[in-house]
Amino acid sequence: MPQEGRPVFRAVERSKVYSAVADQILAGVRSGAFPPGSPLPAERVLAERFEVGRGSVREAIRVLEHAGVLDVRVGSGTYVVGDGGSEENVLRARAAVAGEHSPLDLIVARASLEPVCAEHAATARTSNDLRVLEDLVLQQERVIREGGDPSTVDADFHLAVAAASHNSVLFALERTLVDLMRERMWSELKDRSRSRENQAEHYLEHHRQVFRAIERRDHRRARQLMAVHMSEIETGLLSELGSSQEEGPAERP
């Protein structure tokens, strides 16, 4: 219990400091205040300008380097990468600051795995697998018709396709990806993409087609259809990303 007259202190979240620094550097890169190939001010100078500790600046630079925005050259300084201000790199940096994974990195992983799951499901599925998949398609149709959020049943369908492959490693990998799809940045971007006119119905039709190919044991078609589905999800995410990144001009720190 705090003694009377003494202030109550709360721990300051360090992540909030370095994330604010990272956001300002990103804004400077995107606005052209830090052009491609140009050096950032020295760490000490940035710490003074931002009025933060050098540790926070160092952590912000580390995150932005990992995201492909900055290039730290030992003995030379820190430079803006040529395409460091691209939508993909900015999203990756913001996801890292938030402790999440970039939605675009997630779709790349899904596009690598899920067509393989569909291909193997078409050759290994059982009658029970087909019942589960068909029921999920019907559930998704009902949710969309009633104006609900189909994200959960959508993810369940993809997990069921992996389960139908009867390959425990594929299923474990898909389960990890489904868990990552619960992260805030993925959920928000995908929800905006799905809310576009007829987009939810369009994704539902993809699921119907994948199900039918699996039902017919057409493994080549199942793989192809799932690959098309992943490609169109990526296109939708990129479209939403382009429309949501509206930065005002940033002052040079």
Side-chain angles (χ1 to χ4, degrees):
M1 294 288 293
Q3 296 182 11
E4 186 176 353
R6 288 192 176 185
V8 177
F9 294 106
R10 293 182 177 85
V12 176
E13 293 186 34
R14 178 169 168 266
S15 63
K16 290 185 177 180
V17 178
Y18 86 77
S19 66
V21 172
D23 282 342
Q24 291 194 61
I25 294 174
L26 275 174
V29 170
R30 289 179 60 79
S31 71
F34 299 131
S38 67
L40 287 186
E43 184 183 285
R44 173 185 55 78
V45 174
L46 288 174
E48 292 174 354
R49 299 280 178 85
F50 291 127
E51 298 183 359
V52 299
R54 293 179 66 171
S56 296
V57 172
R58 194 174 300 119
E59 181 66 10
I61 290 174
R62 185 194 66 78
V63 169
L64 296 178
E65 179 188 24
H66 181 71
V69 176
L70 301 177
D71 177 22
V72 178
R73 305 173 191 173
V74 178
S76 176
T78 301
Y79 296 80
V80 178
V81 174
D83 62 346
S86 68
E87 304 288 1
E88 292 85 350
N89 286 340
V90 169
L91 185 64
R92 186 176 292 116
R94 287 178 173 163
V97 168
E100 298 184 6
H101 299 79
S102 166
L104 298 182
D105 288 347
L106 178 52
I107 193 60
V108 167
R110 292 186 64 192
S112 299
L113 178 69
E114 297 204 24
V116 177
C117 291
E119 179 181 20
H120 285 271
T123 59
R125 95 294 189 278
T126 65
S127 57
N128 184 62
D129 292 325
L130 292 179
R131 282 193 293 271
V132 171
L133 289 167
E134 184 175 26
D135 183 58
L136 288 169
V137 169
L138 293 174
Q139 285 184 46
Q140 187 175 354
E141 181 180 349
R142 184 168 58 253
V143 170
I144 292 172
R145 186 173 60 247
E146 294 172 356
D149 178 5
S151 57
T152 298
V153 67
D154 184 312
D156 287 345
F157 176 84
H158 287 274
L159 196 58
V161 170
S165 75
H166 293 274
N167 182 310
S168 61
V169 176
L170 290 177
F171 179 70
L173 291 171
E174 179 63 21
R175 187 166 51 191
T176 297
L177 293 180
V178 168
D179 287 342
L180 294 179
M181 288 161 60
R182 297 189 177 97
E183 291 182 343
R184 181 185 58 81
M185 291 186 70
W186 168 272
S187 298
E188 290 180 354
L189 204 58
K190 183 67 185 297
D191 285 348
R192 291 202 300 271
S193 173
R194 191 188 289 115
S195 66
R196 288 178 176 245
E197 186 177 6
N198 299 323
Q199 193 70 284
E201 291 82 357
H202 190 56
Y203 291 155
L204 170 61
E205 181 56 29
H206 285 178
H207 286 188
R208 288 196 191 100
Q209 292 178 16
V210 170
F211 164 69
R212 290 169 188 149
I214 292 173
E215 184 179 36
R216 294 193 305 269
R217 294 190 187 276
D218 189 341
H219 62 95
R220 290 188 180 87
R221 183 65 173 158
R223 179 174 184 141
Q224 179 186 42
L225 288 168
M226 187 63 85
V228 169
H229 183 44
M230 291 296 107
S231 177
E232 294 202 17
I233 290 174
E234 181 178 18
T235 298
L237 291 177
L238 285 170
S239 178
E240 284 305 319
L241 180 59
S243 64
S244 65
Q245 302 289 346
E246 297 180 0
E247 299 284 0
E251 295 181 2
R252 186 183 297 270

